[in-house]
Amino acid sequence: MTAAATTLFDLSGRVALVTGGARGIGAAYVRALHDAGARVVVADLLEDEGSALAADLGDRVRFARLDVTDEDGWAAVVADVVAGWGGLDVLVNNAGIANAGPIEHYPRAKWDAVIAVNLTGVYLGCRAVVAALRARGGGSIVNISSVEGMRGSTHLHGYVASKFGVRGLTKSLAVELGADGIRVNSVHPGFVETDMTARIDPSGLPIPLRRGGRPDDLTGTLLYLASDASAYVTGAELVVDGGMINGVGHL
């Protein structure tokens, strides 16, 4: 990487908060932001894993227990970050869950659960950080959606609806917050090998790159959106799926 590129992706002096940051893709995001020079808050319900990750990375990373569906919890975590580290520059709304079932056997409880975490949690997070980002003269919100926010998928009704919702919310916030220098973009991962997808064999999926994604495959996109490299990018949707959408029906 050239010196110019290194400077462009440099996050030294900035503060980031990653929800669902204790493991999987979220932990990869935390490590990447840390390696780029940022101070990072690992916000998650998984206290043991989140605390271990923070301890492993050192003084520039701390753990905060957060249920993303808890409005008061969001207020408390953001206030603590601002008080402890002087401000906030980047929010990564990564926390998410998935469930499935044919529509006639898909209970209201499953729908409510996935909408609460995947969509309402993103709304609450965006709302909670606006004042802190505005106080810094702007910042970056990165909302993690999915390729399922770009298409329909059988049995994943709540998940698909929530991820389309994240995509739409991202666009409305980009319009509203642009004047404050706050950029809001969405990332749409395809199949990524994590605990959540462990039971799925990627070899049967129509992925042109012929492999499942790894958490580290997503970190470059995140750093781009978190950094000055994307200073004129807002309201965008970046698909990181190995070409899976393009490959449907063609492999």
Side-chain angles (χ1 to χ4, degrees), residues 149-225:
M150 309 287 289
R151 65 182 188 180
S153 190
T154 185
H155 292 180
L156 291 172
H157 310 297
Y159 188 79
V160 167
S162 72
K163 294 304 186 178
F164 263 86
V166 168
R167 181 183 171 197
L169 176 62
T170 296
K171 292 185 180 299
S172 64
L173 289 174
V175 173
E176 180 173 326
L177 300 176
D180 295 310
I182 299 171
R183 299 178 297 103
V184 191
N185 296 286
S186 59
V187 177
H188 298 257
F191 178 85
V192 180
E193 296 170 349
T194 66
D195 291 343
M196 184 184 292
T197 62
R199 290 178 290 180
I200 301 172
D201 180 3
S203 66
L205 299 175
I207 304 173
L209 290 185
R210 297 297 203 273
R211 66 172 177 84
R214 297 179 288 268
D216 285 347
D217 288 326
L218 298 168
T219 57
T221 302
L222 173 69
L223 292 180
Y224 168 68
L225 292 176

Side-chain angles (χ1 to χ4, degrees), residues 15-17 78 82 87-92 125-142 177 180-184:
V15 179
L17 189 157
V78 172
V82 171
L88 183 66
D89 304 284
V90 178
L91 169 65
V92 184
C126 292
R127 192 181 68 172
V129 304
V130 166
L133 297 182
R134 189 180 287 133
R136 299 280 262 196
S140 176
I141 296 174
V142 183
L177 300 176
D180 295 310
I182 299 171
R183 299 178 297 103
V184 191

Side-chain angles (χ1 to χ4, degrees), residues 16-28:
L17 189 157
V18 181
T19 68
R23 66 182 180 186
I25 296 171

Side-chain angles (χ1 to χ4, degrees), residues 48-161:
D48 290 345
E49 289 167 278
S51 296
L53 177 61
D56 180 53
L57 292 177
D59 293 342
R60 285 192 288 109
V61 179
R62 63 174 60 170
F63 172 77
R65 189 181 189 280
L66 176 65
D67 175 351
V68 296
T69 70
D70 181 357
E71 189 171 351
D72 292 336
W74 268 110
V77 168
V78 172
D80 184 63
V81 172
V82 171
W85 276 343
L88 183 66
D89 304 284
V90 178
L91 169 65
V92 184
N93 278 310
N94 169 73
I97 62 172
N99 54 39
I103 191 63
E104 68 270 31
H105 302 297
Y106 187 69
R108 171 70 182 272
K110 279 191 172 184
W111 172 272
D112 287 346
V114 76
I115 295 296
V117 174
N118 294 5
L119 181 54
T120 303
V122 171
Y123 145 73
L124 290 174
C126 292
R127 192 181 68 172
V129 304
V130 166
L133 297 182
R134 189 180 287 133
R136 299 280 262 196
S140 176
I141 296 174
V142 183
N143 294 327
I144 309 303
S145 179
S146 169
V147 291
E148 309 303 349
M150 309 287 289
R151 65 182 188 180
S153 190
T154 185
H155 292 180
L156 291 172
H157 310 297
Y159 188 79
V160 167

